[in-house]
Amino acid sequence: MPPKFMSQLVSAWLAAASLAAAGTAVAAEPLRVGATYITSGTDPAKGSNGWALVSHGVGENLFTVDKDGRLVPELAEKAERTGDLTWTITLKPGRMFSDGTPVAAKALAAGFENTFVNNKAALATGGKLTFKAIDDLILKVKTEKPVPYIQALFAEWPLIAYKPASDGNAVFTGPYRIEAFKTDASITLEPNARFPGVDKRSPVNFHKFGDAQTMTLALESGELDLAFGLPSEVVSRLKASPDLTIKSFPVGYQYLAFLNTARPLLGDVKVRRALDLAFDRRELAAAINGGEPASGAYAAYFPFAGKEARPTDLAKAAALLDEAGWKKGASGMREKDGKPLRLLAITYPQRPDLVTMLPVVKAELARIGVATDTQVVENIQQVASAGDFDIALWAQHTAPSGDPAFFLNSMLRSGASLNYAKYASPEFDAILDRFATEGDPVKRVTIALDAQAKLFADAPASFLVSPVWYVGMSKRLRNYEPWGSDYHVLRADIGEAKQAR
Amino acid sequence: MLRYCLPAALAVFLILGGFWQPYDPDAVDMFARHSGMTAEHLLGTDHLGRDLLSRIMAGGSRTAWVILSVGFIGFTAGTFLGTAAAILGSWRETTILRCCEFFIMVPTLVVALSAAAIFGLSPLSAGLALGLAGIGPHALLAHSLSKRVLGQPFILATRSLGVSSSGMITRHLLPNTLPLILAYTGNQVGLAIIAYASLAFIGLGADPSKPDWGSMLFEYRVFIFDRPMLMVWPGMAIAATALCINVAFEDCDRVL
């Protein structure tokens, strides 16, 4: 063999080996993802961990809402009604937990039972559910209350599917599995080898940023491949960078204000309605550089959303306060019996838009003579549960399962575990009761509209803005398509561009 | 002349800010966002259309309360305790000094952060916390200076001549110690301005809509590249105030 040919052969082999090695390195290098939230733990039954673990791509539901907003099967194949309170769920064959065991009805039943014991939010729609595994793929479910559409119930965020493990942890089915978790800081994810397409997914280092601005700087300096939830103020600057891709997308979240009906000043419905009329939603949307004035409890693209933006009428608001006995004093602020109308408005830093909206809310209420103190609290759920607020600015996905009932049942029904407004209305509860027996989607829209009309009249919550959110990507994730709000941030189809470096 | 004009102008600015601003510092005007420096808005407006000069003035009056609180508490209590310890001597001197050393052991910012978390951050709570934390160093300085003066021959002479204790303190001791203590107070107040701005920047227990200079720095940090003047103005206000206070007090020795 001629020496020249030998040297060409060796060179070609070395080049091929180098390229192969480079390809492996790219695939093995973790994606770096940043957000202003992270799961508070790996216990799927605790608090809102069920939502967060699905958002992180660790867990799945039996049914889910796809990118087009349709309710579709995920781990389940179908659900059939067998009685007023009984259903049969058929699971998809061939699905596996990340530990290599098959997704069996008995294992899922144990997980769901654990959730219903430990998470009150799971009880909102159907009460406590009981489960019985008929065989590996058939699960019998009995609800406490009639549920017209159990597919939507199993798409609710508390009902993540998992298998309780003997060591107290849980095993999931999503495209990623947890490799390491640091509370309130980071979660390291490895591709779940039991989920299809494992070779197309890289490991992920998911970091929580306490401050969206810090996350922005991390993205700009090349420390992140995906920054989820960028502050709107920086978007125009970031779009000028050739190394970054910035995308916006409408979300199912609503920015709303819970008005604490248990507080003395807001116990009067006239005061609450006055506040609702004082909010200028166009101004609030402009302040956060995106979104639309809210038309009700749901984002405009849902069929059960209100048709017109909520009104602003300062004259009517002033008249309501006058009727309630709150007259303007010499300083221009309202008072009754020498006591000023002074409210405490709170919000939380994990949603930077709400922090931006807080001074705008204060200014808008000042226009009708209502004084406001404002506060940003780290643990909003704790403060809101304790009732230490008059107005709580809140971000909430109000139709995570594509159905209007869950939000109303879990956050505004009398005595509901997440009813921070402490709203209690038998008339409103009676409207919600109609959800339990009505399966016709058109009629459920009517019920949702009736419920919203009652909320507008009683004003335990004021719906403010239907926002858009922003995400920023490096070149590696430039094909990432955000959808589903923050319910599906990390997915199997994350859109990673495999490129040699 | 400039040495006196600048602090005087600052004092007028801080006092005026407590009573009057060109606009309501909380008033939002979305049509006037980021206006830049204009005749209507001398320092421009922020991302919500709020007048920046009005917010700086309102923030200045809040800072002025901190300056007064910290200066008054540290100076009066520290001078009293330090001087008393030096004059009383024996176990009473030891007790007072040990108590003052306790104040020094606890970091000032930690005390202020704890107070802000418990009572909420206001000029009063921050001024009290920072002022109380400043008593220890003030007292130790006053004690050291008083001991030195009390050892001077002219003090022995006044005692020999039968001058009363109160007369000795007011006519001979304090005139010799106060100039240095005042200069130290000016220095401490300058540090307190920075500490208060830091507390407001951190935002623990603070009302974010209240226009403190530190909270403005925090709120406007997202515009550091696009609208840097939003951060420059409150930053300059903090620096200028700390500088003017130091300049105003540094020559107390010569003046008094």
Side-chain angles (χ1 to χ4, degrees), chain A residues 211 213 217 220 231 233-234 237 283 286-287 289 342 356 358-360 362-363 367 372-376, chain B residues 24 26-30 33 47-48 50 203 205-210 218-219 221-226:
Chain A
D211 175 31
Q213 172 65 1
L217 294 174
E220 281 186 288
E233 294 89 348
V234 303
R237 186 179 81 246
E283 189 175 62
N289 300 307
R342 189 170 203 91
T356 303
L358 195 58
V360 184
K362 176 177 181 169
R367 290 171 193 156
T372 313
D373 295 315
T374 60
Q375 204 175 352
V376 177
Chain B
D24 176 354
D26 293 331
V28 167
D29 181 0
M30 300 308 288
R33 303 165 78 184
H47 61 300
L48 299 177
R50 295 174 295 187
D207 182 340
S209 64
K210 289 277 180 3
F218 181 80
E219 187 176 6
R221 76 202 184 287
V222 290
F223 303 105
I224 188 167
F225 299 116
D226 304 315

Side-chain angles (χ1 to χ4, degrees), chain B residues 94-173:
Chain B
T94 309
T95 306
I96 291 171
L97 292 181
R98 291 299 89 78
C99 290
C100 293
E101 282 161 5
F102 174 77
F103 276 105
I104 289 177
M105 279 195 316
V106 185
T108 307
L109 206 58
V110 172
V111 174
L113 274 171
S114 306
I118 295 167
F119 304 110
L121 182 66
S122 68
L124 185 65
S125 65
L128 273 173
L130 293 169
L132 288 172
I135 288 176
H138 271 97
L140 292 180
L141 177 69
H143 171 260
S144 171
L145 291 171
S146 300
K147 286 294 262 190
R148 183 186 290 181
V149 174
L150 288 171
Q152 296 290 319
F154 69 89
I155 294 290
L156 289 173
T158 57
R159 282 180 171 156
S160 306
L161 290 169
V163 175
S164 67
S165 293
S166 58
M168 188 268 290
I169 292 168
T170 52
R171 288 205 300 273
H172 302 288
L173 178 59

Side-chain angles (χ1 to χ4, degrees), chain A residues 407-418:
Chain A
F407 163 68
L408 301 174
N409 273 315
S410 62
M411 302 202 83
L412 289 160
R413 182 185 273 276
S414 305
S417 63
L418 304 177

Side-chain angles (χ1 to χ4, degrees), chain A residues 27-28 174-177 190-203 492 496 498:
Chain A
Y176 297 95
R177 63 176 178 79
E190 288 288 335
N192 174 8
R194 311 295 176 182
F195 193 96
V198 61
D199 53 335
K200 293 178 183 170
R201 295 190 298 279
S202 296
E496 181 181 1
K498 298 283 185 186

